[in-house]
Amino acid sequence: MDRGAAYALPEQEIIIKHICVEGWDYIGQWSGVNLKTFLTRIGADPDGEIRLLQIRRRLFQPHRHATALHPQTILATKYAHDPITDPFGFPLRLRMSTKLGFKNAKWITAMEVTNTHIVDYWEERGFNWFAGI
């Protein structure tokens, strides 16, 4: 996935509460491209599962299209108006207002859209696949 492509699309800002399964939370201001806009631009299958790949941790994070297409789901490129750096998830960070923190992938370097579900790292450890709030 070309990070430049995310910067070339219209920017959306969102202020959301991040809720961690470890018991802490915070409210943050994020900016980036609406994921639906990005997926439409690349011609992704509207029924597919989206896998966001996190090369730094060698993880992937699966999401169904309905969640990815939510109006408040963005590929964040900025936090508090500044370009994302560590620990916030450079080069891209998924921000979803409808999911628990572990479903908001950091350090995204690739994306795949497929019609096959594969169990991810968190699901293997007993975390709920949907993880909605």
Side-chain angles (χ1 to χ4, degrees):
M1 179 172 58
D2 177 13
R3 178 179 162 192
Y7 278 98
L9 294 170
E11 188 175 274
Q12 176 179 335
E13 185 177 293
I14 184 171
I15 297 174
I16 59 174
K17 186 174 187 175
H18 179 94
I19 302 172
C20 183
V21 295
E22 295 173 334
W24 56 269
D25 61 64
Y26 73 94
I27 296 172
Q29 179 182 34
W30 300 87
S31 304
V33 62
N34 179 279
L35 187 55
K36 179 179 180 179
T37 301
F38 182 82
L39 293 172
T40 300
R41 177 70 61 95
I42 65 170
D45 179 354
D47 298 318
E49 177 179 277
I50 293 122
R51 291 191 195 132
L52 301 167
L53 307 172
Q54 303 175 66
I55 299 303
R56 180 173 172 173
R57 290 191 176 173
R58 295 191 174 96
L59 300 175
F60 69 91
Q61 191 63 249
H63 293 283
R64 291 206 173 107
H65 236 77
T67 303
L69 299 180
H70 188 280
Q72 294 179 330
T73 299
I74 66 171
L75 286 174
T77 56
K78 295 178 185 171
Y79 179 74
H81 298 288
D82 291 325
I84 287 181
T85 60
D86 268 340
F88 298 107
F90 175 84
L92 293 171
R93 166 98 183 245
L94 182 69
R95 292 308 298 146
M96 307 174 92
S97 63
T98 60
K99 299 289 182 182
L100 291 172
F102 74 92
K103 294 298 277 188
N104 288 263
K106 292 181 177 182
W107 305 294
I108 299 169
T109 55
M111 182 184 300
E112 175 183 55
V113 179
T114 181
N115 290 314
T116 306
H117 175 71
I118 297 175
V119 175
D120 75 344
Y121 173 88
W122 299 108
E123 195 175 353
E124 285 176 346
R125 285 151 181 78
F127 285 81
N128 180 293
W129 186 88
F130 184 74
I133 53 173

